[in-house]
Amino acid sequence: MSYIGHNGKPIVERVSTANAAGQIEGLPRVPISKATAHEVISLSYGFFTPLTGFMGRQEVDATLEKMQLPDGTLWSIPIVFDMSAENIEKFDVKEGGSVVLEYLGAPMAIFEISEIYEYDLERMAEKTYGTSDARHPGVKKTLAYENRFIGGEIMLINEPVFNEPFSNFWLTPKQHIDALVEKNWKHVVAHQTRNVPHTGHEALMKQAWFAANEDMPVDNLSTGVLVNAIIGQKRVGDYIDEAILLTQDVLRTSGYFRDSVHRVSFTLWDMRYAGPREAIFHAILRTNLGCTHHMFGRDHAGVGDFYDPYDAQNLLKQYRDGLGIKPVFLRENWYCPECQEVTNSALCGHDSKSQSFSGSVIRSILTDEVKPTQRVMRHEVFEVVLDSAAKYGQGSPFVSEQYLKDRLPVFTLKQLEELD
Ligand SMILES: [Zn+2]
């Protein structure tokens, strides 16, 4: 089995769990945030292939200025580790040394430090997001970085154990590739989601499946849809993670997709809302999961009105040559009572009668627990929304302050004494 990822590079795997206690003996232990822990996991298993660790200055420069890594590989988002000068001194972090990254008191990974550097945060924000407006959540995140960055390779010494229901959907990039081979999929179209699916989403996936069937013999259509949810930082009002995964999955178990054409998994990633640059990043990410096609709809990974609805599609077209995945460009879907079906803005001529899938309308249906019409949301999906709300969301399918405080963790790490 060959595991090939972005730009033809072998899928990175930086995991070494044997004798973890011995490996970390005598090294300083640096506590990290949840956001960093997510990136450590994603780097270690190769979701960010060909990256093997956090970026140095040269890599950040090339990413921002040329949309590539120093060797010319297409790359769009800086993956950086920030630390204050005070903590650098406190934890004895120095170039050529190593530290243990510790999450919630458990040792997680060894970080071999090759470089400590400063960077102009405004420039990083402006180049990544096309704006330095601090109302943009990605800009805000960038401007809040500490005043130093640390570049170097990561080695995971303590593998995360995913909790239910996440354990049913967790696959590493290599496991994704194995699963696609097992499904006998020649083409795989990725659907990026942070949503509970309404019938508009379902139609988009079906339209993309048709598009990805290109060049397939009609008597042997071996194309699948990989629904890859983004699990990471949540904001109040977002759908809870559990509801997203379980509702996407019920589309298959209820027969709206055959088992042979559909699979749900997730990637740990804190959305940057970088619009066009994030669309390129998502394409890279799904190339590393073995996908051949990727859906891009209206305002992909955008926020507010920072990007025009089709900016992401335009940037993808511009960098098509560096992508190892074929973008499938989709329009906004709506339900049209004249057509009596879910259709889209490029096809349906009944503009005045169309009903767009307004997030707030669906939200109010779910909040009031009024069973939506099958035209808007499948009954099985609605049932799973209610079940997930009761089981995981303290009664609501939407993230609340209380959920953020009391939710069951996505994964847990073994403590030092439990390690080999
Ligand atoms: Zn119509």
Tab-separated table of all heavy atoms in Angstrom, residues 88-139:
chain	number	residue	atom	x	y	z
A	88	ILE	N	9.602	31.248	27.132
A	88	ILE	CA	10.771	30.658	26.480
A	88	ILE	C	11.901	30.533	27.501
A	88	ILE	O	12.584	29.506	27.583
A	88	ILE	CB	11.190	31.510	25.261
A	88	ILE	CG1	10.197	31.256	24.119
A	88	ILE	CG2	12.622	31.191	24.825
A	88	ILE	CD1	10.393	32.099	22.895
A	89	GLU	N	12.027	31.567	28.319
A	89	GLU	CA	13.063	31.528	29.349
A	89	GLU	C	12.680	30.550	30.459
A	89	GLU	O	13.478	29.710	30.862
A	89	GLU	CB	13.247	32.938	29.904
A	89	GLU	CG	14.615	33.112	30.531
A	89	GLU	CD	14.787	34.512	31.096
A	89	GLU	OE1	14.345	35.480	30.447
A	89	GLU	OE2	15.349	34.606	32.196
A	90	LYS	N	11.427	30.641	30.883
A	90	LYS	CA	10.949	29.803	31.989
A	90	LYS	C	11.111	28.307	31.681
A	90	LYS	O	11.500	27.523	32.547
A	90	LYS	CB	9.477	30.144	32.251
A	90	LYS	CG	8.818	29.334	33.348
A	90	LYS	CD	7.382	29.812	33.578
A	90	LYS	CE	6.570	28.766	34.329
A	90	LYS	NZ	5.134	29.061	34.269
A	91	PHE	N	10.790	27.912	30.450
A	91	PHE	CA	10.839	26.485	30.099
A	91	PHE	C	12.159	26.095	29.421
A	91	PHE	O	12.287	24.988	28.903
A	91	PHE	CB	9.653	26.118	29.204
A	91	PHE	CG	8.335	26.205	29.906
A	91	PHE	CD1	7.454	27.242	29.654
A	91	PHE	CD2	7.979	25.249	30.855
A	91	PHE	CE1	6.238	27.327	30.306
A	91	PHE	CE2	6.752	25.321	31.519
A	91	PHE	CZ	5.882	26.369	31.250
A	92	ASP	N	13.096	27.022	29.427
A	92	ASP	CA	14.424	26.738	28.880
A	92	ASP	C	14.345	26.239	27.427
A	92	ASP	O	14.950	25.225	27.055
A	92	ASP	CB	15.133	25.688	29.772
A	92	ASP	CG	16.620	25.615	29.470
A	92	ASP	OD1	17.161	26.621	28.947
A	92	ASP	OD2	17.226	24.557	29.713
A	93	VAL	N	13.551	26.942	26.632
A	93	VAL	CA	13.395	26.572	25.226
A	93	VAL	C	14.551	27.177	24.453
A	93	VAL	O	14.771	28.394	24.510
A	93	VAL	CB	12.051	27.128	24.683
A	93	VAL	CG1	11.919	26.873	23.196
A	93	VAL	CG2	10.889	26.506	25.442
A	94	LYS	N	15.321	26.336	23.770
A	94	LYS	CA	16.409	26.903	22.955
A	94	LYS	C	16.601	26.129	21.659
A	94	LYS	O	16.261	24.944	21.560
A	94	LYS	CB	17.705	26.982	23.749
A	94	LYS	CG	18.048	25.768	24.568
A	94	LYS	CD	19.328	26.034	25.352
A	94	LYS	CE	19.760	24.815	26.129
A	94	LYS	NZ	19.304	24.830	27.524
A	95	GLU	N	17.131	26.822	20.685
A	95	GLU	CA	17.356	26.203	19.375
A	95	GLU	C	18.296	25.024	19.548
A	95	GLU	O	19.311	25.133	20.235
A	95	GLU	CB	17.936	27.241	18.398
A	95	GLU	CG	16.910	28.312	18.040
A	95	GLU	CD	17.450	29.377	17.086
A	95	GLU	OE1	18.640	29.319	16.725
A	95	GLU	OE2	16.655	30.265	16.708
A	96	GLY	N	17.932	23.899	18.921
A	96	GLY	CA	18.740	22.691	19.060
A	96	GLY	C	18.305	21.820	20.234
A	96	GLY	O	18.724	20.677	20.357
A	97	GLY	N	17.429	22.346	21.089
A	97	GLY	CA	16.942	21.566	22.230
A	97	GLY	C	15.586	20.935	21.942
A	97	GLY	O	15.032	21.085	20.853
A	98	SER	N	15.067	20.185	22.918
A	98	SER	CA	13.740	19.581	22.784
A	98	SER	C	12.930	19.846	24.045
A	98	SER	O	13.492	19.967	25.124
A	98	SER	CB	13.848	18.060	22.611
A	98	SER	OG	14.448	17.744	21.381
A	99	VAL	N	11.620	19.942	23.864
A	99	VAL	CA	10.723	20.034	25.019
A	99	VAL	C	9.582	19.034	24.830
A	99	VAL	O	9.357	18.527	23.730
A	99	VAL	CB	10.126	21.452	25.186
A	99	VAL	CG1	11.213	22.490	25.453
A	99	VAL	CG2	9.291	21.845	23.966
A	100	VAL	N	8.896	18.756	25.934
A	100	VAL	CA	7.712	17.904	25.871
A	100	VAL	C	6.490	18.817	25.860
A	100	VAL	O	6.382	19.710	26.702
A	100	VAL	CB	7.634	16.987	27.110
A	100	VAL	CG1	6.379	16.114	27.045
A	100	VAL	CG2	8.873	16.137	27.209
A	101	LEU	N	5.600	18.617	24.903
A	101	LEU	CA	4.348	19.370	24.895
A	101	LEU	C	3.336	18.586	25.723
A	101	LEU	O	3.141	17.379	25.514
A	101	LEU	CB	3.854	19.576	23.459
A	101	LEU	CG	4.831	20.331	22.549
A	101	LEU	CD1	4.250	20.475	21.145
A	101	LEU	CD2	5.205	21.693	23.139
A	102	GLU	N	2.730	19.295	26.648
A	102	GLU	CA	1.861	18.654	27.623
A	102	GLU	C	0.463	19.252	27.517
A	102	GLU	O	0.315	20.469	27.497
A	102	GLU	CB	2.460	18.964	28.996
A	102	GLU	CG	1.772	18.352	30.159
A	102	GLU	CD	2.484	18.756	31.454
A	102	GLU	OE1	2.177	19.838	31.970
A	102	GLU	OE2	3.349	18.006	31.910
A	103	TYR	N	-0.552	18.369	27.408
A	103	TYR	CA	-1.924	18.856	27.297
A	103	TYR	C	-2.754	18.297	28.448
A	103	TYR	O	-2.784	17.076	28.647
A	103	TYR	CB	-2.521	18.446	25.942
A	103	TYR	CG	-3.958	18.901	25.753
A	103	TYR	CD1	-4.296	20.244	25.838
A	103	TYR	CD2	-4.966	17.981	25.503
A	103	TYR	CE1	-5.610	20.667	25.684
A	103	TYR	CE2	-6.279	18.386	25.329
A	103	TYR	CZ	-6.586	19.731	25.433
A	103	TYR	OH	-7.892	20.139	25.277
A	104	LEU	N	-3.394	19.173	29.194
A	104	LEU	CA	-4.193	18.801	30.373
A	104	LEU	C	-3.400	17.876	31.306
A	104	LEU	O	-3.916	16.856	31.778
A	104	LEU	CB	-5.517	18.147	29.943
A	104	LEU	CG	-6.460	19.019	29.111
A	104	LEU	CD1	-7.711	18.234	28.723
A	104	LEU	CD2	-6.848	20.304	29.860
A	105	GLY	N	-2.149	18.208	31.491
A	105	GLY	CA	-1.314	17.473	32.449
A	105	GLY	C	-0.695	16.201	31.909
A	105	GLY	O	0.071	15.535	32.607
A	106	ALA	N	-1.012	15.828	30.663
A	106	ALA	CA	-0.455	14.591	30.101
A	106	ALA	C	0.594	14.925	29.034
A	106	ALA	O	0.355	15.796	28.192
A	106	ALA	CB	-1.565	13.752	29.483
A	107	PRO	N	1.736	14.231	29.070
A	107	PRO	CA	2.726	14.471	28.017
A	107	PRO	C	2.174	13.979	26.689
A	107	PRO	O	1.557	12.923	26.611
A	107	PRO	CB	3.923	13.622	28.459
A	107	PRO	CG	3.358	12.574	29.350
A	107	PRO	CD	2.132	13.158	29.987
A	108	MET	N	2.379	14.772	25.632
A	108	MET	CA	1.731	14.450	24.367
A	108	MET	C	2.726	14.228	23.235
A	108	MET	O	2.624	13.260	22.485
A	108	MET	CB	0.807	15.617	24.008
A	108	MET	CG	0.009	15.403	22.779
A	108	MET	SD	-1.132	16.784	22.555
A	108	MET	CE	-2.244	16.038	21.384
A	109	ALA	N	3.687	15.146	23.114
A	109	ALA	CA	4.594	15.066	21.965
A	109	ALA	C	5.940	15.675	22.330
A	109	ALA	O	6.040	16.501	23.240
A	109	ALA	CB	4.003	15.822	20.783
A	110	ILE	N	6.956	15.269	21.584
A	110	ILE	CA	8.270	15.899	21.723
A	110	ILE	C	8.416	16.900	20.586
A	110	ILE	O	8.095	16.603	19.437
A	110	ILE	CB	9.388	14.836	21.694
A	110	ILE	CG1	9.264	13.962	22.936
A	110	ILE	CG2	10.769	15.498	21.622
A	110	ILE	CD1	10.240	12.822	23.016
A	111	PHE	N	8.874	18.080	20.953
A	111	PHE	CA	9.036	19.183	20.001
A	111	PHE	C	10.534	19.471	19.905
A	111	PHE	O	11.145	19.907	20.878
A	111	PHE	CB	8.253	20.388	20.530
A	111	PHE	CG	8.120	21.562	19.613
A	111	PHE	CD1	8.428	21.483	18.251
A	111	PHE	CD2	7.641	22.777	20.104
A	111	PHE	CE1	8.279	22.573	17.415
A	111	PHE	CE2	7.486	23.887	19.271
A	111	PHE	CZ	7.807	23.782	17.936
A	112	GLU	N	11.123	19.163	18.750
A	112	GLU	CA	12.560	19.423	18.537
A	112	GLU	C	12.703	20.820	17.961
A	112	GLU	O	12.304	21.063	16.819
A	112	GLU	CB	13.144	18.409	17.552
A	112	GLU	CG	13.184	16.994	18.057
A	112	GLU	CD	13.596	16.034	16.942
A	112	GLU	OE1	14.361	16.439	16.043
A	112	GLU	OE2	13.114	14.896	16.965
A	113	ILE	N	13.275	21.685	18.727
A	113	ILE	CA	13.262	23.110	18.348
A	113	ILE	C	14.416	23.450	17.420
A	113	ILE	O	15.587	23.278	17.751
A	113	ILE	CB	13.317	23.978	19.616
A	113	ILE	CG1	11.984	23.779	20.358
A	113	ILE	CG2	13.505	25.446	19.280
A	113	ILE	CD1	12.119	23.657	21.809
A	114	SER	N	14.068	23.919	16.222
A	114	SER	CA	15.137	24.291	15.293
A	114	SER	C	15.282	25.803	15.174
A	114	SER	O	16.315	26.289	14.740
A	114	SER	CB	14.896	23.654	13.925
A	114	SER	OG	13.581	23.887	13.514
A	115	GLU	N	14.251	26.538	15.568
A	115	GLU	CA	14.298	27.978	15.338
A	115	GLU	C	13.365	28.727	16.282
A	115	GLU	O	12.244	28.289	16.529
A	115	GLU	CB	13.841	28.224	13.882
A	115	GLU	CG	14.044	29.615	13.381
A	115	GLU	CD	13.514	29.782	11.951
A	115	GLU	OE1	13.195	28.769	11.287
A	115	GLU	OE2	13.418	30.934	11.513
A	116	ILE	N	13.841	29.840	16.797
A	116	ILE	CA	12.997	30.759	17.577
A	116	ILE	C	13.063	32.100	16.853
A	116	ILE	O	14.156	32.575	16.547
A	116	ILE	CB	13.515	30.911	19.025
A	116	ILE	CG1	13.573	29.543	19.720
A	116	ILE	CG2	12.636	31.884	19.811
A	116	ILE	CD1	14.219	29.557	21.089
A	117	TYR	N	11.890	32.663	16.538
A	117	TYR	CA	11.915	33.891	15.733
A	117	TYR	C	10.736	34.801	16.072
A	117	TYR	O	9.764	34.373	16.696
A	117	TYR	CB	11.917	33.558	14.233
A	117	TYR	CG	10.721	32.749	13.758
A	117	TYR	CD1	9.665	33.349	13.068
A	117	TYR	CD2	10.645	31.379	14.000
A	117	TYR	CE1	8.574	32.610	12.628
A	117	TYR	CE2	9.556	30.635	13.563
A	117	TYR	CZ	8.521	31.258	12.875
A	117	TYR	OH	7.447	30.519	12.451
A	118	GLU	N	10.877	36.051	15.646
A	118	GLU	CA	9.779	37.009	15.780
A	118	GLU	C	9.130	37.187	14.412
A	118	GLU	O	9.762	36.935	13.390
A	118	GLU	CB	10.310	38.360	16.278
A	118	GLU	CG	10.825	38.327	17.704
A	118	GLU	CD	11.413	39.662	18.117
A	118	GLU	OE1	10.661	40.653	18.139
A	118	GLU	OE2	12.618	39.707	18.407
A	119	TYR	N	7.880	37.616	14.415
A	119	TYR	CA	7.225	37.853	13.126
A	119	TYR	C	6.254	39.022	13.252
A	119	TYR	O	5.633	39.210	14.302
A	119	TYR	CB	6.474	36.591	12.659
A	119	TYR	CG	6.456	36.473	11.155
A	119	TYR	CD1	7.464	35.783	10.486
A	119	TYR	CD2	5.460	37.088	10.409
A	119	TYR	CE1	7.475	35.712	9.098
A	119	TYR	CE2	5.468	37.011	9.025
A	119	TYR	CZ	6.474	36.327	8.379
A	119	TYR	OH	6.485	36.253	7.009
A	120	ASP	N	6.114	39.758	12.193
A	120	ASP	CA	5.181	40.885	12.156
A	120	ASP	C	3.750	40.327	12.057
A	120	ASP	O	3.345	39.801	11.019
A	120	ASP	CB	5.541	41.744	10.936
A	120	ASP	CG	4.604	42.937	10.769
A	120	ASP	OD1	3.529	42.963	11.414
A	120	ASP	OD2	4.943	43.832	9.985
A	121	LEU	N	3.015	40.439	13.163
A	121	LEU	CA	1.689	39.811	13.225
A	121	LEU	C	0.690	40.458	12.262
A	121	LEU	O	-0.149	39.766	11.675
A	121	LEU	CB	1.145	39.869	14.651
A	121	LEU	CG	1.975	39.121	15.705
A	121	LEU	CD1	1.334	39.261	17.079
A	121	LEU	CD2	2.131	37.643	15.342
A	122	GLU	N	0.799	41.767	12.117
A	122	GLU	CA	-0.131	42.454	11.197
A	122	GLU	C	0.072	41.967	9.771
A	122	GLU	O	-0.879	41.779	9.022
A	122	GLU	CB	0.084	43.968	11.269
A	122	GLU	CG	-0.498	44.551	12.535
A	122	GLU	CD	-1.208	45.871	12.283
A	122	GLU	OE1	-1.459	46.205	11.106
A	122	GLU	OE2	-1.506	46.546	13.280
A	123	ARG	N	1.325	41.762	9.417
A	123	ARG	CA	1.633	41.287	8.069
A	123	ARG	C	1.096	39.859	7.883
A	123	ARG	O	0.505	39.524	6.853
A	123	ARG	CB	3.149	41.333	7.854
A	123	ARG	CG	3.581	40.825	6.513
A	123	ARG	CD	4.996	41.325	6.171
A	123	ARG	NE	5.521	40.562	5.073
A	123	ARG	CZ	6.340	39.522	5.210
A	123	ARG	NH1	6.746	39.153	6.411
A	123	ARG	NH2	6.754	38.865	4.154
A	124	MET	N	1.312	39.042	8.908
A	124	MET	CA	0.813	37.665	8.830
A	124	MET	C	-0.708	37.666	8.636
A	124	MET	O	-1.251	36.913	7.809
A	124	MET	CB	1.192	36.893	10.097
A	124	MET	CG	0.978	35.395	9.997
A	124	MET	SD	1.205	34.527	11.567
A	124	MET	CE	2.968	34.483	11.722
A	125	ALA	N	-1.386	38.523	9.384
A	125	ALA	CA	-2.852	38.590	9.309
A	125	ALA	C	-3.286	39.097	7.928
A	125	ALA	O	-4.135	38.482	7.271
A	125	ALA	CB	-3.386	39.500	10.405
A	126	GLU	N	-2.687	40.181	7.506
A	126	GLU	CA	-3.069	40.821	6.246
A	126	GLU	C	-2.893	39.863	5.058
A	126	GLU	O	-3.757	39.730	4.199
A	126	GLU	CB	-2.215	42.099	6.073
A	126	GLU	CG	-2.242	42.726	4.691
A	126	GLU	CD	-3.562	43.422	4.380
A	126	GLU	OE1	-4.126	43.998	5.313
A	126	GLU	OE2	-4.004	43.356	3.210
A	127	LYS	N	-1.757	39.154	5.048
A	127	LYS	CA	-1.476	38.250	3.915
A	127	LYS	C	-2.385	37.016	3.951
A	127	LYS	O	-2.803	36.504	2.915
A	127	LYS	CB	-0.012	37.792	3.958
A	127	LYS	CG	0.982	38.898	3.707
A	127	LYS	CD	1.139	39.157	2.210
A	127	LYS	CE	2.178	40.235	1.968
A	127	LYS	NZ	2.261	40.579	0.542
A	128	THR	N	-2.653	36.512	5.151
A	128	THR	CA	-3.463	35.289	5.250
A	128	THR	C	-4.934	35.575	4.957
A	128	THR	O	-5.599	34.805	4.266
A	128	THR	CB	-3.349	34.675	6.661
A	128	THR	OG1	-1.970	34.527	6.998
A	128	THR	CG2	-4.031	33.309	6.730
A	129	TYR	N	-5.416	36.702	5.495
A	129	TYR	CA	-6.861	36.947	5.467
A	129	TYR	C	-7.287	38.021	4.484
A	129	TYR	O	-8.480	38.258	4.298
A	129	TYR	CB	-7.349	37.300	6.883
A	129	TYR	CG	-7.057	36.186	7.854
A	129	TYR	CD1	-5.989	36.258	8.742
A	129	TYR	CD2	-7.826	35.019	7.839
A	129	TYR	CE1	-5.698	35.209	9.604
A	129	TYR	CE2	-7.547	33.965	8.693
A	129	TYR	CZ	-6.478	34.071	9.577
A	129	TYR	OH	-6.198	33.034	10.396
A	130	GLY	N	-6.286	38.701	3.895
A	130	GLY	CA	-6.629	39.771	2.965
A	130	GLY	C	-7.173	41.004	3.669
A	130	GLY	O	-7.727	41.890	3.033
A	131	THR	N	-7.048	41.040	4.990
A	131	THR	CA	-7.519	42.179	5.778
A	131	THR	C	-6.780	42.168	7.111
A	131	THR	O	-6.323	41.107	7.552
A	131	THR	CB	-9.042	42.086	6.049
A	131	THR	OG1	-9.412	43.116	6.974
A	131	THR	CG2	-9.438	40.753	6.654
A	132	SER	N	-6.657	43.340	7.736
A	132	SER	CA	-6.112	43.341	9.097
A	132	SER	C	-7.177	43.839	10.075
A	132	SER	O	-6.891	44.239	11.183
A	132	SER	CB	-4.836	44.188	9.173
A	132	SER	OG	-5.064	45.440	8.571
A	133	ASP	N	-8.431	43.770	9.621
A	133	ASP	CA	-9.576	44.169	10.445
A	133	ASP	C	-9.752	43.166	11.596
A	133	ASP	O	-10.029	41.983	11.367
A	133	ASP	CB	-10.826	44.174	9.545
A	133	ASP	CG	-12.043	44.737	10.249
A	133	ASP	OD1	-12.108	44.661	11.491
A	133	ASP	OD2	-12.942	45.241	9.545
A	134	ALA	N	-9.614	43.649	12.812
A	134	ALA	CA	-9.637	42.749	13.979
A	134	ALA	C	-11.015	42.157	14.253
A	134	ALA	O	-11.159	41.290	15.119
A	134	ALA	CB	-9.122	43.482	15.211
A	135	ARG	N	-12.041	42.605	13.485
A	135	ARG	CA	-13.350	41.950	13.643
A	135	ARG	C	-13.372	40.580	12.964
A	135	ARG	O	-14.252	39.762	13.223
A	135	ARG	CB	-14.454	42.833	13.037
A	135	ARG	CG	-14.797	44.041	13.910
A	135	ARG	CD	-15.730	44.956	13.177
A	135	ARG	NE	-15.120	45.409	11.922
A	135	ARG	CZ	-15.721	46.169	11.017
A	135	ARG	NH1	-16.961	46.550	11.194
A	135	ARG	NH2	-15.094	46.542	9.912
A	136	HIS	N	-12.404	40.343	12.070
A	136	HIS	CA	-12.297	39.025	11.430
A	136	HIS	C	-11.721	38.042	12.459
A	136	HIS	O	-10.670	38.310	13.039
A	136	HIS	CB	-11.371	39.144	10.217
A	136	HIS	CG	-11.277	37.887	9.392
A	136	HIS	ND1	-10.788	36.695	9.904
A	136	HIS	CD2	-11.606	37.629	8.101
A	136	HIS	CE1	-10.832	35.779	8.952
A	136	HIS	NE2	-11.326	36.315	7.851
A	137	PRO	N	-12.407	36.896	12.717
A	137	PRO	CA	-11.950	36.005	13.794
A	137	PRO	C	-10.529	35.463	13.578
A	137	PRO	O	-9.794	35.236	14.552
A	137	PRO	CB	-12.982	34.874	13.805
A	137	PRO	CG	-13.735	34.991	12.518
A	137	PRO	CD	-13.641	36.412	12.077
A	138	GLY	N	-10.143	35.254	12.328
A	138	GLY	CA	-8.794	34.768	12.053
A	138	GLY	C	-7.742	35.835	12.332
A	138	GLY	O	-6.672	35.562	12.879
A	139	VAL	N	-8.074	37.064	11.962
A	139	VAL	CA	-7.166	38.180	12.230
A	139	VAL	C	-7.004	38.336	13.739
A	139	VAL	O	-5.894	38.495	14.256
A	139	VAL	CB	-7.720	39.491	11.603
A	139	VAL	CG1	-6.896	40.691	12.055
A	139	VAL	CG2	-7.741	39.381	10.079
